[in-house]
Every structure is written in structure tokens, then in C-alpha cells.
């Protein structure tokens, strides 16, 4: 079987993006080069998220990340208490 090892997303502010994933979701920094605007973040499942600084125009998003957790409501509450903002609270979608 082929397994996903890592994926890359482009960000306008590397340091702010890195800190958001580390502080908000607990990802670990695998490698980090703020001067070059590039780094890799690791999750507990072994997948690495590569962040690369690029000048981006405002447009539709290029990708959507889906993160798994034990309880979406508990995780939403804990992240909200830590200052993470959401567009809306968890809801059931049909």
C-alpha cells in the first residue's frame, strides 16, 4: 500500500502559520527555517505538513485540511478557550 508521507501548503506568513498549527493543534516542528520561510510540522500519525512562504493573491483556497479528533465538541471548546477562532461552532451537516 502507498501511504501519504507529507503535503505542502503555501502561506503568506510562515512564522504566524507555523505558530498557529503548533500552538493551536499541537503539531511538532520537524524542521524550521524562518529566514527562508519554510518548515515542516509533524502530527502524531506520521504525516508531515510542509509550509512554504509565498506571496499569494486573495483567491479561493487551494486545499482544505481535515483534522481528526476524539470529540469535535470537546476539541472545539478547548481550542476556543485557547483563543482559536472559528467561523462557526460544530454542527451536523446532512
Amino acid at each position: 500500500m502507498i501511504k501519504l508521507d507529507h503535503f505542502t501548503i503555501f502561506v503568506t506568513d510562515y512564522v504566524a502559520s507555523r505558530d498557529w498549527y503548533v500552538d493551536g493543534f499541537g503539531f511538532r516542528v520537524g524542521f524550521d527555517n524562518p529566514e527562508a520561510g519554510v518548515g515542516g510540522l509533524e502530527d502524531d500519525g506520521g504525516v508531515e505538513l510542509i509550509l512554504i512562504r509565498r506571496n499569494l493573491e486573495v483567491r479561493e483556497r487551494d486545499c482544505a485540511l481535515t483534522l481528526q479528533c476524539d470529540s469535535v465538541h470537546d476539541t472545539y471548546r478547548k481550542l476556543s478557550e485557547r483563543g482559536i477562532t472559528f467561523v462557526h461552532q460544530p454542527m451536523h451537516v446532512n
Side-chain angles (χ1 to χ4, degrees):
M1 171 182 5
I2 296 174
K3 295 170 73 174
L4 181 63
D5 179 66
H6 70 276
F7 59 98
T8 302
I9 60 173
F10 300 113
V11 297
T12 55
D13 186 330
Y14 167 73
V15 172
S17 298
R18 177 203 62 204
D19 293 349
W20 190 78
Y21 283 103
V22 169
D23 297 340
F25 299 111
F27 287 18
R28 295 176 306 280
V29 176
F31 71 93
D32 190 40
N33 188 337
E35 295 79 24
V38 64
L41 308 176
E42 300 171 351
D43 70 359
D44 288 338
V47 177
E48 188 170 37
L49 172 61
I50 308 294
L51 304 176
I52 298 177
R53 181 183 61 226
R54 289 266 172 92
N55 292 326
L56 302 171
E57 296 179 24
V58 175
R59 60 181 179 188
E60 242 351 87
R61 63 180 170 216
D62 291 330
C63 71
L65 303 178
T66 301
L67 305 174
Q68 184 178 6
C69 60
D70 292 330
S71 168
V72 69
H73 294 285
D74 289 344
T75 302
Y76 170 79
R77 181 183 47 77
K78 289 175 187 175
L79 293 175
S80 294
E81 289 170 356
R82 291 183 8 215
I84 302 293
T85 58
F86 292 86
V87 174
H88 56 76
Q89 64 185 358
M91 61 184 172
H92 182 73
V93 178
N94 293 333

